[in-house]
Amino acid sequence: MAKHLLSKSTYIKSLQCQKALYLHKKRPFLRDKMSAVQLAKFRRGTAVGVLARDLFPGGIDMTPKSPSQYQAKRDETLLALQNPEITTIYEAVFQYDEVLIMLDILVREGEKWRAIEVKSSRGLSDTYRQDAFLQYYVLRGNDIPMIDFELFYINEEYVLKDQLNLQELFISESIMNQAEEALELTVIKINKAKETLQLTKSPEVPIGTHCYKPYPCDFIGHCWKNVPQNSLLYLSSEKLEQRFEWYNQGTELPSQLENKYLFEQIDALKHNTFYLNHGIFLSASDSFDLSKPTFLKLLIHQAAVPTVQGTKPYQPIVLAVCAYQPHNQVQQDFYWNNTAESPDYEGLADFLNQIWQESSCLIVYENNTLDAVIEKLTGLNPEIQWLIFNNLLQQANFMLPAIEETFEQNTLQVQIFPEGKPLKEESWLLKDLLDNPEQNSSKVNFQLLQYCKSLYRLYQYFLKPEINP
Ligand code: SF4
């Protein structure tokens, strides 16, 4: 059989943008670096898929060790189907119509097979369905008699008791009927992708919201390189759809101004600087006592599969905290560390209460999952004043020339202090702590201190009226 042209991931890429598919296959060197967040998602998906195998134990694993094994594993899978002693296959490899798939779990049920694809998410997106429709198409093309095709995903209401109960952790949804109904459309989409791969040059696809939806594309650096720095596309106070509408109309200034600060924001963008309504910012910060602020960075882990009794999937667990107090005569930093297996809520509440004794307010960059964490800390002093820095910025109609509508601290600090070193991404810090907490905790604490110091610097910068009159 000829080598495959498409896989699940390249097919999904083609649904987002035909040019992305072309570049991925023919010009891979133009790809942007994969972000830490994307890598973390990928690792999580694989781990959950492997865990779900325990629901169907005793299977044989067809996972190819390298792409050179795809064809051999496909042949092995077909042979395994003929062997009545084999009842379960993991990562079964199939090919049809030049499309190669690997199915998470295939279980024999009488004369038929039950196909299962596992997702680590709390729901099923359209992309997951499209990817399952493709798999169904390939299985059907291989004449696999199927009793059902199901998608498994995480039940966010599941609570871990003494032992992990996989039956309760996963929710399953049959998508066989939907896949059957979508067959004709799936074929059209496959053919379109194949046509793209026959092209001798990259298809003309203008940039658009599809560059970020459903996923940020790998080729933004390449396709967006001619977008001027002061383009309306970077007017982060407006939704991406709105910005593209203006961009495609070639409009210099939007005709409908719903946001009364838009002219100022556009002016700031033209000068490649940020916009902040400083009056609002100062009056919003006036409601806090800023005489002795403490800057905090919490490193929060959200595991798809809970590891602690009484917790749910994706429930936030604080692994480390750094508190930085610049108001003391000698600037001080304090740390609290924990493990994902035994979250010490009492210890964390005590730590924060102690920090609070020497503070007038606790400042964090963003809320993120802070509310959910605080809810768990029954011993926490209710008088603690939390200042969420990003909320103040939003209230003050802050606009940063950036593509994101809400941006991380790192994006902000790189823009405001371009000469400084970027902060190490949180996904890497989490990975370091989860992989080897003993060896990596002091290294991670040092990085958390950099987050606190960066926040302190941003705080000082924005609180000085003369900087942004
Ligand atoms: S950056 Fe946009 S236009 Fe370019 S390949 Fe990606 S999705 Fe397509």
Side-chain angles (χ1 to χ4, degrees):
M1 191 181 272
K3 201 173 164 292
H4 66 280
L5 272 181
L6 290 170
S7 64
K8 233 169 49 168
S9 63
T10 50
Y11 174 74
I12 293 300
K13 215 173 263 300
S14 78
L15 299 186
Q16 180 167 357
C17 173
Q18 295 295 326
K19 185 176 177 183
L21 170 69
Y22 181 92
L23 294 174
H24 173 81
K25 282 278 193 178
K26 312 257 176 139
R27 304 274 184 278
F29 51 88
L30 295 174
R31 187 182 298 137
D32 302 332
K33 241 169 65 187
M34 196 190 265
S35 78
V37 179
Q38 285 167 299
L39 276 175
K41 267 193 195 157
F42 180 70
R43 277 198 305 268
R44 185 165 62 208
T46 311
V48 172
V50 170
L51 183 71
R53 292 179 186 177
D54 288 350
L55 280 168
F56 309 94
I60 55 163
D61 186 2
M62 289 293 169
T63 310
K65 290 199 170 60
S66 72
S68 66
Q69 285 194 338
Y70 284 151
Q71 300 306 317
K73 289 290 175 187
R74 191 208 62 209
D75 295 345
E76 272 183 52
T77 300
L78 293 177
L79 273 178
L81 295 178
Q82 307 305 323
N83 181 347
E85 285 178 13
I86 296 176
T87 55
T88 304
I89 306 173
Y90 311 129
E91 298 298 327
V93 182
F94 292 98
Q95 186 175 323
Y96 174 67
D97 195 14
E98 298 176 290
V99 181
L100 182 110
I101 60 153
M102 283 188 276
L103 181 77
D104 285 334
I105 303 169
L106 191 61
V107 186
R108 194 189 288 274
E109 293 203 358
E111 297 295 304
K112 295 192 172 183
W113 292 88
R114 181 178 169 201
I116 297 158
E117 186 65 14
V118 185
K119 302 293 172 198
S120 61
S121 57
R122 287 167 276 188
L124 296 177
S125 64
D126 183 52
T127 304
Y128 290 157
R129 290 178 198 279
Q130 295 298 333
D131 140 353
F133 296 168
L134 179 82
Q135 287 177 302
Y136 177 78
Y137 170 74
V138 172
L139 289 173
R140 210 172 172 275
N142 276 271
D143 294 325
I144 308 296
M146 264 178 287
I147 200 160
D148 204 354
F149 190 123
E150 292 164 65
L151 282 174
F152 278 23
Y153 60 98
I154 299 283
N155 170 13
E156 59 185 331
E157 292 310 318
Y158 169 72
V159 180
L160 178 65
K161 300 199 182 100
D162 326 348
Q163 277 190 342
L164 191 61
N165 183 334
L166 293 176
Q167 303 278 3
E168 289 179 9
L169 175 68
F170 289 108
I171 294 178
S172 106
E173 183 180 319
S174 168
I175 53 103
M176 192 145 101
N177 291 342
Q178 295 169 45
E180 186 65 37
E181 278 167 27
L183 264 183
E184 220 172 290
L185 218 55
T186 305
V187 176
I188 294 173
K189 290 171 182 170
I190 291 172
N191 288 340
K192 193 168 175 208
K194 285 193 199 168
E195 279 165 26
T196 298
L197 293 178
Q198 301 308 322
L199 296 174
T200 49
K201 67 181 183 66
S202 162
E204 295 287 336
V205 181
I207 58 171
T209 50
H210 57 271
C211 296
Y212 281 87
K213 293 177 180 174
Y215 308 112
C217 175
D218 302 342
F219 295 97
I220 288 171
H222 171 67
C223 295
W224 286 56
K225 62 179 181 287
N226 294 327
V227 176
Q229 252 185 344
N230 58 4
S231 163
L232 283 179
L233 284 179
Y234 295 118
L235 189 70
S236 63
S237 61
E238 296 294 310
K239 293 258 172 271
L240 196 58
E241 287 75 10
Q242 174 65 80
R243 291 183 250 163
F244 263 106
E245 208 180 305
W246 293 331
Y247 178 80
N248 292 330
Q249 287 165 355
T251 318
E252 268 295 298
L253 284 174
S255 47
Q256 287 178 340
L257 296 181
E258 283 184 17
N259 176 350
K260 64 180 178 158
Y261 298 106
L262 211 50
F263 274 122
E264 287 98 321
Q265 290 170 333
I266 289 170
D267 193 50
L269 179 69
K270 287 205 164 127
H271 295 96
N272 194 26
T273 181
F274 64 86
Y275 169 78
L276 179 85
N277 186 314
H278 213 257
I280 299 181
F281 186 81
L282 288 180
S283 66
S285 53
D286 262 358
S287 49
F288 294 90
D289 176 355
L290 299 175
S291 56
K292 290 199 293 179
T294 293
F295 297 84
L296 280 182
K297 177 65 189 169
L298 285 77
L299 192 60
I300 298 174
H301 174 52
Q302 290 182 275
V305 180
T307 50
V308 179
Q309 265 194 37
T311 63
K312 293 181 178 179
Y314 291 98
Q315 187 167 314
I317 291 177
V318 182
L319 293 188
V321 185
C322 171
Y324 177 60
Q325 292 183 331
H327 55 268
N328 282 324
Q329 273 183 345
V330 181
Q331 296 184 352
Q332 287 194 41
D333 40 285
F334 303 92
Y335 302 92
W336 180 83
N337 289 82
N338 194 15
T339 64
E341 288 71 35
S342 55
D344 175 11
Y345 296 119
E346 218 176 293
L348 177 56
D350 285 349
F351 174 78
L352 293 172
N353 288 342
Q354 272 178 29
I355 294 293
W356 170 242
Q357 281 179 12
E358 285 302 312
S359 316
S360 59
C361 76
L362 303 188
I363 304 185
V364 291
Y365 177 73
E366 60 191 340
N367 188 311
N368 200 0
T369 48
L370 183 67
D371 287 341
V373 169
I374 290 177
E375 210 175 279
K376 285 269 161 202
L377 305 180
T378 44
L380 190 67
N381 186 337
E383 288 180 2
I384 292 179
Q385 293 293 306
W386 292 95
L387 190 161
I388 316 291
F389 193 70
N390 200 282
N391 287 359
L392 282 194
L393 291 178
Q394 280 178 20
Q395 280 176 52
N397 294 287
F398 184 73
M399 189 287 304
L400 179 76
I403 202 73
E404 305 101 300
E405 282 144 27
T406 52
F407 27 77
E408 294 173 352
Q409 183 180 342
N410 212 358
T411 314
L412 184 57
Q413 101 131 23
V414 167
Q415 175 79 18
I416 307 287
F417 309 119
E419 74 291 348
K421 238 174 125 179
L423 301 163
K424 188 165 176 186
E425 280 194 57
E426 280 187 61
S427 306
W428 292 126
L429 300 182
L430 278 171
K431 183 180 180 307
D432 286 347
L433 266 196
L434 293 169
D435 286 354
N436 195 338
E438 275 180 25
Q439 192 181 316
N440 293 331
S441 69
S442 57
K443 208 167 69 180
V444 169
N445 286 346
F446 173 78
Q447 295 298 335
L448 296 182
L449 179 61
Q450 305 318 304
Y451 270 86
C452 292
K453 287 185 170 174
S454 142
L455 184 56
Y456 174 47
R457 208 170 158 206
L458 289 167
Y459 159 91
Q460 282 186 310
Y461 184 84
F462 285 109
L463 272 179
K464 288 181 187 165
E466 66 278 12
I467 290 174
N468 188 31

